[in-house]
Amino acid sequence: MSGFAAGIQERLDALAAISAEPGAITRVYLSPEQARANALVMGWMREAGMSARLDAAGNVVGRVEGPEPGGPAFVIGSHLDTVRDAGRYDGPLGVLTGIACVAAWLRTDGKPPFAVEVVGFGDEEGTRFQSTLIGSRAFAGTFDSALLALTDADGIGLGAALTAFGLDPARIGEAARASRDVLGYLELHIEQGPMLEQAGLPVGAVTAISGATRLAVTLTGEAGHAGTVAMAGRRDALAGAAECVLAVEARCRDEADLVGTVGGIAAYPNAVNVISGEARFTLDLRAPDDARRRAALADIEAAWGAIVRRRGLDLAVRRTHDAQAVPCDPALTALVEAAIVQEGYRALRLPSGAGHDGMAIAAIAPIAMIFVRCRGGISHSPAEFAGPTDIEAGARVMLGTLRGLARTMRA
């Protein structure tokens, strides 16, 4: 069998050239750039021996039938949209590897014992409408029609964007699949973190996709003159916020796979000679186990309560996002691990701190994920990079997983 990496990289480069911004990779949901990318990917699917179509949510779907036409399919997927000024591997690597593996399977193994689909989801990142997983939620039948009222930065509604793209927002439900139609789901993705690189391994098996809680926090104190209010009498909201940030770091620093991030902070009135009367900040808290995440959140909020009482501040907390952790299926993950070992590598098990389309698909099917090493753990950046050796290893592990599943189903 010829190598996978060169062909996959060539196609990644071709997709990277489709962008709304010169000199950058920006390809958002329901944009002209997405339409061009979809057409290119559907062409590659057909070259591989699949039928190809666009579903009612703008997802690209390639399919090879099994012995029973229209029978349930094993789905390989990831996304084709990007963040702004993105790298070229996040999302498309999983789609293009799936296409390459189906082509190789048909060439060397013949017709599969079950239908196989490769899906390029239209929106995972949420860049345009600030709501993630639109494509995969529609596929899983969990799309909320209230999202059709969302608007982008130009005031264009999601429903109007679907219409302009040639889709009917009233028919988006037709993208949904029932559990009986999906045998399982496999997603290959760059790790977007440093663990594989630190372990010296090109690939790993994902155990779970972390759950996440996001908060918007406001501390209220009392503004005052920077030169005349004594330090002992101050109710400095920004100083209190700084202590709260450090409390997050202290709680999360020493617990494996628990991460807490204060990514946004603002002080008011934000003047050099005025004590801050108000400070606002965000919290993003993630863990692959929901009980651990909830326990950490309770500890953090208790620490914040002690800080504001001591400082004479008022605290208001608003929860803006809460998503449960999604465990990967043990049986499918075991097939991934067996394929990794077959390729001569140690099967490292690791959680995903980032969200993926598999989170939505888990509502209708067992899921598994393959992580591919990325340089420096960098993602959502033009510096994002996965080397050819790692791409090759990931593709071979995916094909090995498919073959393992076929052996299991034939037994």
Side-chain angles (χ1 to χ4, degrees):
M1 186 191 307
S2 60
F4 289 96
I8 292 172
Q9 185 64 60
E10 182 179 349
R11 289 176 172 181
L12 285 166
D13 294 342
L15 280 178
I18 302 174
S19 174
E21 299 179 87
I25 303 173
T26 300
R27 197 168 52 247
V28 302
Y29 186 41
L30 303 176
S31 65
E33 293 74 35
Q34 187 190 17
R36 290 169 55 200
N38 285 350
L40 195 57
V41 170
M42 284 193 286
W44 292 331
M45 288 173 165
R46 292 178 182 123
E47 285 180 27
M50 291 183 274
S51 63
R53 64 183 179 87
L54 194 68
D55 77 7
N59 302 313
V60 174
V61 182
R63 181 178 172 99
V64 171
E65 293 291 354
E68 176 191 351
F74 187 77
V75 178
I76 301 165
S78 196
H79 59 98
L80 295 174
D81 66 314
T82 73
V83 297
R84 299 192 185 280
D85 196 18
R88 65 191 61 202
Y89 300 90
D90 176 1
L93 177 61
V95 180
L96 300 182
T97 301
I99 294 171
C101 286
V102 169
W105 192 353
L106 292 175
R107 187 170 62 246
T108 61
D109 297 44
K111 191 173 185 178
F114 45 81
V116 179
E117 292 188 355
V118 178
V119 181
F121 293 110
D123 175 83
E124 187 259 8
E125 300 287 6
T127 303
R128 183 174 182 184
F129 295 102
Q130 304 302 304
S131 181
T132 61
L133 306 176
I134 290 176
S136 48
R137 286 175 180 168
F139 189 92
T142 58
F143 175 80
D144 183 355
S145 60
L147 296 177
L148 293 171
L150 292 174
T151 57
D152 65 12
D154 296 319
I156 299 171
L158 174 56
L162 284 162
T163 300
F165 201 73
L167 301 170
D168 183 350
R171 300 179 67 180
I172 196 169
E174 294 178 11
R177 303 296 185 85
S179 294
R180 63 180 178 275
D181 298 325
V182 182
L183 298 171
Y185 175 81
L186 179 64
E187 182 166 357
L188 178 144
H189 205 282
I190 57 169
E191 182 195 349
Q192 301 178 284
M195 293 176 67
L196 286 170
E197 191 172 65
Q198 291 171 3
L201 294 169
V203 288
V206 179
T207 56
I209 303 172
S210 290
T213 298
R214 294 176 184 167
L215 305 179
V217 184
T218 301
L219 297 185
T220 305
E222 186 174 37
H225 195 291
T228 62
V229 179
M231 298 299 292
R234 296 186 176 193
R235 297 173 59 222
D236 187 331
L238 182 56
E243 193 172 351
C244 289
V245 172
L246 293 176
V248 172
E249 183 182 60
R251 176 59 180 84
C252 299
R253 183 172 46 215
D254 298 323
E255 185 171 334
D257 303 328
L258 172 69
V259 290
T261 304
V262 176
I265 191 165
Y268 303 91
N270 197 29
V272 67
N273 60 346
V274 181
I275 301 163
S276 296
E278 182 177 282
R280 301 175 189 172
F281 63 91
T282 61
L283 172 66
D284 183 307
L285 186 68
R286 306 190 190 204
D289 179 85
D290 288 330
R292 289 174 53 208
R293 175 170 50 90
R294 287 191 291 267
L297 181 60
D299 291 343
I300 288 168
E301 290 186 320
W304 289 349
I307 290 165
V308 299
R309 286 192 296 272
R310 175 164 39 81
R311 289 180 170 271
L313 305 173
D314 294 319
L315 171 68
V317 178
R318 179 169 57 91
R319 191 167 302 202
T320 59
H321 174 81
D322 201 70
Q324 292 185 343
V326 176
C328 290
D329 178 71
L332 283 180
T333 302
L335 293 175
V336 171
E337 291 176 311
I340 291 172
V341 171
Q342 181 66 34
E343 291 301 318
Y345 304 111
R346 175 168 64 91
L348 179 67
R349 297 168 62 88
L350 68 168
S352 173
H356 298 285
D357 288 298
M359 297 180 78
I361 306 305
I364 58 169
I367 71 164
M369 287 193 69
I370 301 164
F371 266 170
V372 172
R373 174 170 52 192
C374 58
R375 186 170 59 194
I378 296 170
S379 185
H380 285 188
S381 162
E384 183 180 276
F385 178 77
T389 301
D390 299 341
I391 291 173
E392 183 73 23
R396 289 183 175 276
V397 168
M398 176 179 280
L399 184 56
T401 303
L402 291 173
R403 286 173 169 160
L405 180 63
R407 287 192 297 270
T408 299
M409 295 189 69
R410 286 188 180 115

